[in-house]
Amino acid sequence: MLTTNLKLADKYNYLSEKFTKAYHFLRTEDLEALPVGITEIDGNEVFANVQEYTTMPWEECAFEAHDRYFDIQYVVYGREMFGYVKREGLKEKAPYNQEKDLVFFEDPRDSGQILLEAGDLAVVPPEDAHKPRCMAGESCRVKKIVVKVKR
């Protein structure tokens, strides 16, 4: 699934070489066997952040965004609700952390949610914020590969 604003549709090529490398990695690697942590795909241009966690209530999770990287959030196993909203106009909880390429936001009044289950992915551009790790129904264990693609 990819969702974006029409203004961004021509700005980015979601089938460029970098994205193609990311999709190839997700299709060909033994994702269940990957250890938690960073796995290099193409230097700092494309890499995977392997995560395992237990989903939490919506209220305990936070919207976040990145300036330098797209996120391709791929669920290996488990399921989660994934919040999604335009970044413009959001109120920051803390200033942008340049080293981590990460900023957290207060919950907006309105936002969307999608259910991500094993095999599903969401592509999030830097102009949008996302709220991962939220439980869908009951809390569960999730293994997720977040492939970072440099803009």
Side-chain angles (χ1 to χ4, degrees):
M1 175 188 158
L2 164 69
T3 179
T4 191
N5 188 283
L6 186 58
K7 292 181 242 177
L8 299 177
D10 290 336
K11 183 176 182 180
Y12 299 117
N13 178 359
Y14 294 97
L15 294 176
S16 71
E17 183 180 353
K18 290 183 208 177
F19 281 96
T20 301
K21 286 179 183 181
Y23 303 138
H24 177 77
F25 173 84
L26 291 171
R27 285 187 190 106
T28 60
E29 289 294 315
D30 182 359
L31 302 177
E32 287 199 31
L34 285 175
V36 170
I38 302 299
T39 298
E40 185 178 314
I41 300 170
D42 184 18
N44 70 348
E45 295 293 310
V46 183
F47 61 91
N49 181 0
V50 181
Q51 306 173 358
E52 289 187 71
Y53 52 85
T54 301
T55 56
M56 302 177 292
W58 179 264
E59 301 78 28
E60 294 180 23
C61 301
F63 276 97
E64 64 183 62
H66 316 286
D67 285 352
R68 296 189 310 267
Y69 288 91
F70 289 82
D71 272 4
I72 301 174
Q73 301 234 352
Y74 178 84
V75 176
V76 178
Y77 60 74
R79 62 197 306 255
E80 70 178 40
M81 289 306 293
F82 187 82
Y84 190 84
V85 67
K86 293 175 188 169
R87 182 175 175 175
E88 184 178 348
L90 294 180
K91 182 179 177 184
E92 291 183 3
K93 278 188 175 181
Y96 171 76
N97 182 323
Q98 187 169 352
E99 182 180 321
K100 294 182 179 180
D101 186 35
L102 181 64
V103 61
F104 289 104
F105 299 99
E106 300 289 336
D107 275 3
R109 192 183 79 158
D110 297 312
S111 64
Q113 295 179 12
I114 57 173
L115 175 64
L116 293 179
E117 298 180 294
D120 292 341
L121 65 84
V123 180
V124 184
E127 290 84 0
D128 294 332
H130 54 287
K131 187 175 189 174
R133 300 181 177 227
C134 302
M135 58 189 218
E138 297 180 1
S139 184
C140 70
R141 290 293 296 163
V142 170
K143 182 167 189 174
K144 184 190 281 181
I145 313 294
V146 180
V147 181
K148 309 293 276 184
V149 178
K150 197 168 190 178
R151 64 185 320 182

